[in-house]
Amino acid sequence: MAKKAIINRNKKRLKIVQKFSDRRQLLKTKINDQSLTEDERYEARLELQNLPRNSSPVRLCNRCTITGRSRGVYSKFGLGRSKLRDIAMSGKIPGIIKASW
């Protein structure tokens, strides 16, 4: 089980990313727009740098919804590998069976 502080930090980052996503996208389109002058694009770059560091979606971490584990998380299920195996073996996920050949 991951520490509660780390799980809460990731939740806080998720909120900040969602809050600034529109503004971030607007600034990125300005930066890549070749029809604008170099100074306008430079100003957009400076604005993007002044946004909070945690507003970048790169800083988010996929975590298991049950345990908070950060490694071995299947994004399709939102579960860590160990919990996915436990739940699948108990038959609670339809269509998931143990492989045999």
Side-chain angles (χ1 to χ4, degrees):
M1 185 87 178
K3 291 183 179 179
K4 290 288 184 185
I6 296 173
I7 295 170
N8 291 335
R9 185 187 314 153
N10 203 45
K11 288 179 184 176
K12 181 179 165 185
R13 283 180 181 160
L14 182 62
K15 288 179 186 175
I16 294 173
V17 166
Q18 290 171 349
K19 180 179 176 183
F20 286 97
S21 65
D22 295 333
R23 181 149 181 80
R24 234 181 146 69
Q25 189 63 35
L26 179 70
L27 289 172
K28 284 192 171 202
T29 54
K30 274 187 178 180
I31 290 169
N32 294 328
D33 189 6
Q34 296 295 324
S35 63
L36 296 176
T37 65
E38 198 61 38
D39 291 332
E40 292 172 334
R41 292 170 61 203
Y42 180 73
E43 289 296 323
R45 225 174 284 126
L46 289 178
E47 276 188 61
L48 185 65
Q49 287 177 356
N50 288 333
L51 288 179
R53 183 176 287 175
N54 285 334
S55 69
S56 174
V58 174
R59 293 178 65 94
L60 287 176
C61 179
N62 291 335
R63 291 195 170 271
C64 176
T65 54
I66 297 173
T67 61
R69 182 180 167 87
S70 62
R71 296 183 178 194
V73 177
Y74 288 85
S75 57
K76 184 175 181 179
F77 302 104
L79 296 172
R81 58 180 175 77
S82 56
K83 286 297 169 185
L84 178 66
R85 183 175 186 272
D86 293 341
I87 294 172
M89 288 297 149
S90 64
K92 294 180 182 173
I93 302 177
I96 303 291
I97 55 171
K98 188 174 179 179
S100 62
W101 59 91

